[in-house]
Coordinates of all heavy atoms in Angstrom, one line a residue:
S1 N -34.7 -9.5 148.1 CA -34.4 -10.9 147.8 C -34.5 -11.7 149.1 O -34.5 -11.2 150.2 CB -33.0 -11.0 147.2 OG -32.0 -10.6 148.1
L2 N -34.4 -13.0 148.9 CA -34.4 -13.9 150.0 C -33.0 -14.2 150.5 O -32.1 -14.5 149.7 CB -35.0 -15.3 149.6 CG -36.5 -15.3 149.2 CD1 -36.9 -16.6 148.7 CD2 -37.4 -14.9 150.4
P3 N -32.7 -14.0 151.8 CA -31.3 -14.2 152.3 C -31.0 -15.7 152.3 O -31.9 -16.5 152.4 CB -31.3 -13.6 153.6 CG -32.8 -13.7 154.1 CD -33.6 -13.6 152.8
G4 N -29.7 -16.0 152.4 CA -29.3 -17.4 152.6 C -29.3 -18.2 151.3 O -29.6 -17.7 150.2
H5 N -29.0 -19.5 151.5 CA -29.0 -20.4 150.4 C -30.4 -21.1 150.2 O -30.9 -21.6 151.2 CB -27.9 -21.4 150.6 CG -26.6 -20.8 150.7 ND1 -25.9 -20.2 149.7 CD2 -25.7 -20.7 151.8 CE1 -24.8 -19.8 150.1 NE2 -24.6 -20.0 151.4
H6 N -30.9 -21.1 149.0 CA -32.2 -21.7 148.8 C -32.2 -22.2 147.3 O -31.4 -21.8 146.5 CB -33.3 -20.8 149.1 CG -33.2 -19.5 148.3 ND1 -33.5 -19.3 147.0 CD2 -32.9 -18.3 148.8 CE1 -33.3 -18.1 146.6 NE2 -32.9 -17.4 147.7
P7 N -33.1 -23.2 147.0 CA -33.1 -23.8 145.7 C -33.8 -23.0 144.6 O -34.0 -23.4 143.5 CB -33.7 -25.1 145.9 CG -34.7 -24.9 147.0 CD -34.0 -23.9 147.9
L8 N -34.3 -21.8 145.0 CA -35.1 -21.0 144.0 C -34.3 -20.1 143.1 O -33.3 -19.5 143.5 CB -36.1 -20.1 144.8 CG -37.0 -20.8 145.9 CD1 -37.8 -19.7 146.6 CD2 -37.9 -21.8 145.2
N9 N -34.8 -20.0 141.8 CA -34.2 -19.1 140.9 C -34.8 -17.7 141.2 O -35.7 -17.6 142.0 CB -34.3 -19.5 139.5 CG -35.8 -19.5 139.0 OD1 -36.6 -18.7 139.4 ND2 -36.1 -20.5 138.1
Q10 N -34.3 -16.7 140.5 CA -34.8 -15.3 140.8 C -36.3 -15.1 140.6 O -37.0 -14.5 141.4 CB -34.0 -14.3 140.0 CG -34.2 -12.9 140.3 CD -33.3 -11.9 139.6 OE1 -32.7 -12.3 138.6 NE2 -33.3 -10.7 140.0
A11 N -36.8 -15.7 139.5 CA -38.3 -15.6 139.2 C -39.1 -16.3 140.3 O -40.1 -15.8 140.8 CB -38.6 -16.2 137.9
Q12 N -38.6 -17.5 140.8 CA -39.4 -18.2 141.8 C -39.3 -17.4 143.1 O -40.3 -17.4 143.8 CB -38.8 -19.6 142.0 CG -39.0 -20.5 140.8 CD -38.2 -21.8 140.9 OE1 -37.1 -21.8 141.3 NE2 -38.8 -22.9 140.4
A13 N -38.2 -16.9 143.4 CA -38.0 -16.1 144.7 C -38.9 -14.9 144.6 O -39.6 -14.5 145.6 CB -36.6 -15.7 144.9
G14 N -39.0 -14.2 143.5 CA -39.9 -13.1 143.3 C -41.3 -13.4 143.5 O -42.1 -12.7 144.2
S15 N -41.7 -14.5 142.9 CA -43.1 -15.0 143.0 C -43.5 -15.3 144.5 O -44.5 -15.0 145.0 CB -43.4 -16.2 142.2 OG -43.3 -15.9 140.8
L16 N -42.5 -15.9 145.2 CA -42.7 -16.2 146.6 C -42.9 -15.0 147.4 O -43.8 -14.9 148.2 CB -41.6 -17.1 147.1 CG -41.7 -17.4 148.6 CD1 -42.9 -18.3 148.9 CD2 -40.4 -18.2 149.0
L17 N -42.0 -14.0 147.2 CA -42.1 -12.7 147.9 C -43.4 -12.0 147.6 O -44.1 -11.5 148.5 CB -40.9 -11.8 147.6 CG -39.6 -12.3 148.2 CD1 -38.5 -11.4 147.7 CD2 -39.7 -12.2 149.8
I18 N -43.8 -11.9 146.3 CA -45.1 -11.3 146.0 C -46.2 -11.9 146.6 O -47.2 -11.3 147.1 CB -45.2 -11.2 144.4 CG1 -44.2 -10.2 143.9 CG2 -46.6 -10.9 144.0 CD1 -44.1 -10.2 142.4
S19 N -46.2 -13.3 146.7 CA -47.3 -14.0 147.3 C -47.3 -13.8 148.8 O -48.3 -13.5 149.5 CB -47.2 -15.5 147.0 OG -48.1 -16.2 147.8
E20 N -46.1 -13.9 149.5 CA -46.0 -13.8 150.9 C -46.3 -12.4 151.4 O -46.9 -12.2 152.4 CB -44.5 -14.1 151.2 CG -44.2 -14.8 152.5 CD -45.2 -15.6 153.3 OE1 -45.8 -16.6 152.7 OE2 -45.4 -15.4 154.4
L21 N -45.9 -11.4 150.6 CA -46.1 -10.0 151.0 C -47.4 -9.4 150.6 O -47.8 -8.3 150.9 CB -45.0 -9.1 150.5 CG -43.6 -9.4 151.0 CD1 -42.5 -8.5 150.3 CD2 -43.5 -9.2 152.5
R22 N -48.2 -10.2 149.7 CA -49.5 -9.9 149.3 C -49.5 -8.6 148.5 O -50.4 -7.8 148.7 CB -50.5 -9.9 150.4 CG -50.7 -11.2 151.1 CD -52.0 -11.8 150.8 NE -53.1 -10.8 150.7 CZ -54.2 -11.1 150.1 NH1 -54.4 -12.3 149.6 NH2 -55.1 -10.2 150.0
C23 N -48.6 -8.3 147.7 CA -48.5 -7.1 146.9 C -49.7 -6.8 146.1 O -50.2 -5.7 146.0 CB -47.2 -7.1 146.1 SG -45.7 -7.3 147.0
A24 N -50.2 -7.9 145.5 CA -51.4 -7.7 144.6 C -52.7 -7.4 145.3 O -53.7 -7.0 144.7 CB -51.6 -9.0 143.7
A25 N -52.7 -7.6 146.6 CA -53.9 -7.3 147.4 C -54.2 -5.8 147.4 O -55.3 -5.3 147.5 CB -53.8 -7.8 148.8
C26 N -53.1 -5.0 147.3 CA -53.3 -3.5 147.4 C -52.9 -2.8 146.1 O -53.3 -1.7 145.8 CB -52.4 -3.0 148.5 SG -52.8 -3.6 150.2
H27 N -52.0 -3.5 145.3 CA -51.5 -2.8 144.1 C -52.0 -3.5 142.9 O -52.0 -4.7 142.8 CB -49.9 -2.9 144.2 CG -49.3 -2.2 145.4 ND1 -49.2 -0.9 145.5 CD2 -48.9 -2.7 146.5 CE1 -48.6 -0.6 146.6 NE2 -48.5 -1.7 147.3
S28 N -52.3 -2.7 141.9 CA -52.8 -3.3 140.6 C -51.6 -3.6 139.7 O -50.5 -3.1 139.9 CB -53.8 -2.3 139.9 OG -53.1 -1.1 139.6
G29 N -51.8 -4.3 138.7 CA -50.8 -4.6 137.7 C -49.9 -5.8 138.1 O -48.9 -6.0 137.4
I30 N -50.2 -6.4 139.2 CA -49.3 -7.5 139.7 C -50.1 -8.8 139.5 O -51.2 -8.9 140.1 CB -48.9 -7.4 141.2 CG1 -48.1 -6.1 141.3 CG2 -48.2 -8.6 141.6 CD1 -47.8 -5.8 142.7
E31 N -49.6 -9.7 138.7 CA -50.3 -11.0 138.5 C -50.3 -11.8 139.8 O -49.3 -12.0 140.5 CB -49.6 -11.8 137.4 CG -50.3 -13.0 137.0 CD -49.7 -13.7 135.8 OE1 -49.2 -12.9 134.9 OE2 -49.7 -14.9 135.7
R32 N -51.5 -12.3 140.1 CA -51.6 -13.2 141.3 C -50.9 -14.5 141.1 O -51.0 -15.1 140.0 CB -53.0 -13.4 141.8 CG -53.6 -12.1 142.3 CD -55.0 -12.3 142.8 NE -55.6 -11.1 143.3 CZ -55.5 -10.7 144.6 NH1 -55.0 -11.4 145.5 NH2 -56.1 -9.6 144.9
S33 N -50.3 -15.1 142.1 CA -49.6 -16.3 142.0 C -50.5 -17.5 142.3 O -51.5 -17.3 142.9 CB -48.3 -16.2 142.9 OG -48.1 -17.4 143.6
S34 N -50.1 -18.7 142.0 CA -50.8 -19.9 142.4 C -50.5 -20.3 143.9 O -51.1 -21.2 144.4 CB -50.5 -21.0 141.5 OG -49.2 -21.3 141.6
L35 N -49.6 -19.6 144.5 CA -49.2 -19.9 145.9 C -50.2 -19.3 146.8 O -50.9 -18.3 146.5 CB -47.8 -19.3 146.2 CG -46.6 -19.8 145.4 CD1 -45.4 -18.9 145.7 CD2 -46.4 -21.2 145.8
P36 N -50.5 -19.9 148.0 CA -51.4 -19.4 148.9 C -50.9 -18.0 149.4 O -49.7 -17.8 149.6 CB -51.5 -20.4 150.1 CG -50.4 -21.4 149.8 CD -49.9 -21.2 148.4
E37 N -51.9 -17.1 149.7 CA -51.5 -15.8 150.1 C -51.9 -15.5 151.6 O -52.9 -16.1 152.0 CB -52.2 -14.7 149.2 CG -51.7 -14.8 147.8 CD -52.4 -13.8 146.9 OE1 -53.5 -13.3 147.3 OE2 -51.8 -13.4 145.9
K38 N -51.2 -14.6 152.2 CA -51.6 -14.2 153.6 C -52.8 -13.2 153.4 O -53.0 -12.6 152.3 CB -50.4 -13.4 154.2 CG -49.3 -14.3 154.6 CD -48.2 -13.6 155.4 CE -48.0 -12.1 155.2 NZ -46.9 -11.5 155.9
A39 N -53.5 -13.0 154.5 CA -54.6 -12.0 154.4 C -54.0 -10.6 154.3 O -53.0 -10.3 155.0 CB -55.5 -12.2 155.7
A40 N -54.6 -9.8 153.5 CA -54.2 -8.4 153.4 C -54.8 -7.6 154.6 O -55.7 -8.0 155.2 CB -54.8 -7.8 152.1
P41 N -54.1 -6.5 154.9 CA -54.7 -5.6 156.0 C -56.0 -5.1 155.6 O -56.3 -4.8 154.4 CB -53.6 -4.5 156.1 CG -52.9 -4.5 154.8 CD -52.9 -5.9 154.3
D42 N -56.9 -4.9 156.6 CA -58.2 -4.3 156.3 C -58.0 -2.8 156.3 O -57.8 -2.1 157.3 CB -59.1 -4.7 157.5 CG -60.5 -4.1 157.3 OD1 -60.8 -3.4 156.3 OD2 -61.3 -4.3 158.2
L43 N -58.2 -2.2 155.1 CA -58.0 -0.8 154.9 C -59.3 0.0 154.9 O -59.3 1.2 154.6 CB -57.1 -0.5 153.7 CG -55.7 -1.0 153.7 CD1 -55.0 -0.7 152.4 CD2 -54.9 -0.5 154.9
D44 N -60.4 -0.7 155.1 CA -61.7 0.0 155.2 C -61.7 1.0 156.3 O -61.3 0.7 157.4 CB -62.8 -1.0 155.5 CG -63.1 -1.9 154.3 OD1 -62.8 -1.6 153.1 OD2 -63.8 -3.0 154.5
E45 N -62.0 2.2 155.9 CA -62.1 3.3 156.9 C -60.8 3.5 157.6 O -60.8 3.9 158.8 CB -63.3 3.1 157.9 CG -64.6 3.0 157.1 CD -65.8 2.8 158.1 OE1 -65.7 3.2 159.3 OE2 -66.8 2.3 157.6
V46 N -59.7 3.3 157.0 CA -58.4 3.4 157.6 C -58.2 4.9 158.1 O -57.5 5.1 159.1 CB -57.2 3.0 156.7 CG1 -57.0 3.9 155.5 CG2 -55.9 2.8 157.5
G47 N -58.8 5.8 157.4 CA -58.7 7.2 157.8 C -59.2 7.5 159.2 O -58.9 8.5 159.8
T48 N -60.1 6.6 159.7 CA -60.7 6.8 161.0 C -59.8 6.2 162.1 O -60.1 6.5 163.3 CB -62.1 6.2 161.1 OG1 -62.0 4.8 160.9 CG2 -63.1 6.9 160.1
R49 N -58.9 5.4 161.7 CA -58.0 4.7 162.6 C -56.6 5.2 162.7 O -55.9 5.0 163.7 CB -58.0 3.2 162.3 CG -59.3 2.5 162.3 CD -59.2 1.0 162.2 NE -58.3 0.5 161.1 CZ -58.7 0.2 159.9 NH1 -60.0 0.2 159.6 NH2 -57.8 -0.2 159.0
V50 N -56.1 5.8 161.7 CA -54.7 6.3 161.7 C -54.7 7.7 161.3 O -55.5 8.2 160.5 CB -53.8 5.4 160.8 CG1 -53.8 4.0 161.2 CG2 -54.2 5.6 159.3
S51 N -53.7 8.4 161.8 CA -53.6 9.9 161.5 C -52.8 10.0 160.1 O -52.1 9.1 159.7 CB -52.8 10.6 162.6 OG -51.4 10.2 162.5
P52 N -53.1 11.1 159.5 CA -52.3 11.4 158.2 C -50.8 11.4 158.5 O -50.0 10.9 157.6 CB -52.8 12.8 157.8 CG -54.2 12.9 158.4 CD -54.1 12.1 159.7
A53 N -50.4 11.9 159.6 CA -48.9 11.9 159.9 C -48.4 10.5 160.0 O -47.3 10.2 159.5 CB -48.7 12.6 161.3
F54 N -49.1 9.6 160.7 CA -48.7 8.2 160.8 C -48.6 7.5 159.4 O -47.6 6.9 159.0 CB -49.5 7.3 161.7 CG -49.2 5.9 161.6 CD1 -48.1 5.4 162.3 CD2 -49.9 5.0 160.8 CE1 -47.8 4.0 162.2 CE2 -49.6 3.7 160.6 CZ -48.5 3.2 161.4
L55 N -49.6 7.8 158.6 CA -49.7 7.2 157.2 C -48.5 7.7 156.4 O -47.8 6.9 155.7 CB -51.0 7.5 156.6 CG -51.3 6.8 155.3 CD1 -51.2 5.3 155.4 CD2 -52.7 7.3 154.7
R56 N -48.1 8.9 156.5 CA -47.0 9.5 155.8 C -45.7 8.8 156.3 O -44.9 8.4 155.5 CB -46.9 11.0 155.9 CG -45.7 11.6 155.2 CD -45.7 13.1 155.2 NE -46.7 13.7 154.5 CZ -46.7 13.8 153.2 NH1 -45.7 13.4 152.5 NH2 -47.8 14.4 152.6
R57 N -45.5 8.7 157.6 CA -44.4 8.0 158.2 C -44.3 6.6 157.7 O -43.2 6.0 157.4 CB -44.4 8.1 159.7 CG -44.0 9.4 160.3 CD -43.7 9.3 161.8 NE -44.7 8.5 162.6 CZ -45.8 9.0 163.1 NH1 -46.1 10.3 162.9 NH2 -46.6 8.2 163.8
F58 N -45.4 5.9 157.7 CA -45.5 4.5 157.4 C -45.1 4.3 155.9 O -44.3 3.4 155.6 CB -46.9 3.9 157.6 CG -47.0 2.4 157.2 CD1 -46.5 1.5 158.1 CD2 -47.6 2.0 156.1 CE1 -46.5 0.1 157.8 CE2 -47.7 0.7 155.7 CZ -47.2 -0.3 156.6
L59 N -45.6 5.1 155.0 CA -45.3 5.0 153.6 C -43.9 5.4 153.3 O -43.2 4.8 152.4 CB -46.3 5.8 152.7 CG -47.7 5.3 152.8 CD1 -48.6 6.3 152.0 CD2 -47.8 3.9 152.2
T60 N -43.3 6.3 154.1 CA -41.9 6.7 153.9 C -40.9 5.6 154.4 O -39.9 5.3 153.8 CB -41.7 8.0 154.6 OG1 -42.6 9.0 154.1 CG2 -40.2 8.5 154.4
A61 N -41.2 5.0 155.6 CA -40.3 4.0 156.2 C -41.2 3.0 157.0 O -41.3 3.2 158.2 CB -39.3 4.7 157.1
P62 N -41.8 2.0 156.3 CA -42.7 1.1 157.0 C -42.2 0.5 158.2 O -42.9 0.4 159.3 CB -43.1 0.1 155.9 CG -42.8 0.8 154.6 CD -41.7 1.7 154.9
S63 N -41.0 -0.1 158.2 CA -40.5 -0.8 159.3 C -40.1 0.1 160.5 O -40.1 -0.4 161.7 CB -39.3 -1.7 159.0 OG -38.2 -0.9 158.5
V64 N -39.9 1.4 160.3 CA -39.6 2.3 161.3 C -41.0 2.7 162.0 O -41.1 2.7 163.2 CB -38.9 3.6 160.8 CG1 -38.8 4.6 161.9 CG2 -37.5 3.2 160.3
A65 N -42.0 3.0 161.2 CA -43.3 3.4 161.7 C -44.0 2.2 162.4 O -44.7 2.4 163.3 CB -44.1 4.0 160.6
H66 N -43.8 1.0 161.8 CA -44.5 -0.1 162.4 C -43.6 -1.4 162.3 O -43.6 -2.1 161.4 CB -45.8 -0.4 161.5 CG -46.7 -1.5 162.1 ND1 -47.3 -1.4 163.3 CD2 -47.0 -2.7 161.6 CE1 -48.0 -2.5 163.4 NE2 -47.8 -3.3 162.4
P67 N -42.7 -1.5 163.4 CA -41.8 -2.6 163.4 C -42.5 -4.0 163.2 O -43.6 -4.2 163.7 CB -41.2 -2.5 164.8 CG -41.3 -1.1 165.2 CD -42.6 -0.7 164.6
G68 N -41.9 -4.8 162.4 CA -42.5 -6.1 162.1 C -43.4 -6.2 160.9 O -43.9 -7.2 160.5
T69 N -43.7 -5.0 160.3 CA -44.6 -5.0 159.1 C -43.9 -5.8 157.9 O -42.7 -5.9 157.9 CB -44.9 -3.6 158.7 OG1 -45.8 -3.6 157.6 CG2 -43.7 -2.8 158.2
T70 N -44.7 -6.3 157.1 CA -44.2 -7.0 155.9 C -44.2 -6.0 154.7 O -43.8 -6.4 153.6 CB -45.0 -8.2 155.5 OG1 -46.4 -7.9 155.4 CG2 -44.8 -9.3 156.6
M71 N -44.7 -4.8 154.8 CA -44.7 -3.8 153.8 C -43.2 -3.5 153.4 O -42.5 -3.0 154.3 CB -45.5 -2.6 154.2 CG -45.4 -1.4 153.2 SD -46.5 -1.8 151.8 CE -46.4 -0.3 150.9
P72 N -42.8 -3.6 152.2 CA -41.4 -3.3 151.9 C -41.2 -1.8 151.8 O -42.2 -1.0 151.6 CB -41.2 -3.9 150.5 CG -42.6 -4.0 149.9 CD -43.6 -4.2 151.1
D73 N -40.0 -1.4 152.0 CA -39.6 0.1 152.0 C -39.4 0.5 150.5 O -38.3 0.6 150.1 CB -38.4 0.3 152.8 CG -38.0 1.8 153.0 OD1 -38.8 2.6 152.4 OD2 -37.0 2.1 153.6
V74 N -40.5 0.8 149.8 CA -40.4 1.1 148.4 C -39.9 2.5 148.2 O -39.5 2.9 147.1 CB -41.8 0.9 147.7 CG1 -42.2 -0.5 147.7 CG2 -42.9 1.8 148.3
M75 N -39.9 3.4 149.2 CA -39.5 4.7 149.1 C -38.0 4.9 149.5 O -37.4 5.9 149.4 CB -40.3 5.7 149.9 CG -41.8 5.6 149.6 SD -42.1 6.5 148.0 CE -42.1 8.1 148.5
G76 N -37.4 3.8 150.1 CA -36.1 3.9 150.7 C -35.0 4.4 149.7 O -34.1 5.1 150.2
S77 N -35.1 4.1 148.5 CA -34.0 4.5 147.5 C -34.3 5.9 147.0 O -33.5 6.5 146.2 CB -33.9 3.5 146.4 OG -35.1 3.6 145.6
R78 N -35.4 6.6 147.4 CA -35.7 7.9 146.8 C -35.1 9.0 147.7 O -34.9 8.8 148.9 CB -37.2 8.1 146.7 CG -37.7 7.0 145.7 CD -39.1 7.3 145.3 NE -39.5 6.3 144.4 CZ -40.3 6.5 143.4 NH1 -40.8 7.7 143.2 NH2 -40.7 5.5 142.7
S79 N -34.9 10.2 147.2 CA -34.3 11.3 147.9 C -35.4 11.8 148.9 O -36.6 11.5 148.7 CB -33.9 12.4 147.0 OG -35.1 13.0 146.4
D80 N -35.0 12.6 149.9 CA -35.9 13.1 150.9 C -37.0 14.0 150.1 O -38.1 14.0 150.5 CB -35.2 14.0 151.9 CG -34.4 13.1 152.9 OD1 -34.7 11.9 153.0 OD2 -33.5 13.6 153.6
A81 N -36.5 14.7 149.1 CA -37.5 15.6 148.4 C -38.5 14.7 147.6 O -39.7 15.1 147.7 CB -36.7 16.4 147.4
E82 N -38.1 13.6 147.0 CA -39.1 12.8 146.4 C -40.0 12.1 147.4 O -41.2 12.0 147.1 CB -38.3 11.7 145.6 CG -37.6 12.2 144.3 CD -36.9 11.0 143.7 OE1 -36.1 10.3 144.3 OE2 -37.1 10.9 142.4
Q83 N -39.5 11.7 148.5 CA -40.4 11.1 149.5 C -41.4 12.0 150.1 O -42.5 11.6 150.5 CB -39.5 10.5 150.7 CG -38.7 9.3 150.3 CD -37.9 8.8 151.5 OE1 -38.1 9.1 152.6 NE2 -36.9 8.0 151.2
S84 N -41.1 13.3 150.1 CA -42.0 14.3 150.7 C -43.1 14.8 149.7 O -44.0 15.5 150.1 CB -41.3 15.5 151.3 OG -40.7 16.2 150.2
Q85 N -43.1 14.4 148.5 CA -44.0 14.8 147.5 C -45.4 14.2 147.7 O -45.7 13.2 148.0 CB -43.6 14.5 146.1 CG -42.4 15.3 145.7 CD -41.9 15.0 144.2 OE1 -42.5 14.2 143.5 NE2 -40.9 15.7 143.8

């Protein structure tokens, strides 16, 4: 969610976050918003630029592996066993 006081309802805040975080650029099933979007990361040949160990760390805890990233911690609420699958 968005911290602080703002005039947006929950649906508007969600649309803003989806647009700002560019979720639909990498994930299917997310309707694109009419709001302008940031550029998505270039994942072409990502396997030649990052190690499998870094990719696992990044997907498990994005802000720990890459401070300042806008990728949300989608695995944060899962158990260690679920994260390691």
Side-chain angles (χ1 to χ4, degrees):
S1 69
L2 296 173
H5 300 292
H6 53 76
L8 304 176
N9 64 35
Q10 189 173 12
Q12 291 169 325
S15 291
L16 177 62
L17 286 172
I18 287 171
S19 174
E20 211 28 52
L21 298 175
R22 296 251 326 158
C23 302
C26 300
H27 302 279
S28 62
I30 298 173
E31 187 174 325
R32 290 186 182 265
S33 135
S34 61
L35 297 171
E37 296 179 337
K38 294 187 329 183
D42 179 5
L43 298 178
D44 288 341
E45 300 181 23
V46 69
T48 64
R49 298 188 314 262
V50 301
S51 70
F54 172 80
L55 190 55
R56 181 174 291 280
R57 284 192 316 272
F58 181 76
L59 293 174
T60 301
S63 63
V64 173
H66 185 66
T69 185
T70 57
M71 176 74 174
D73 186 2
V74 296
M75 302 287 281
S77 64
R78 300 194 180 212
S79 70
D80 289 342
E82 288 177 309
Q83 290 181 15
S84 66
Q85 291 181 357

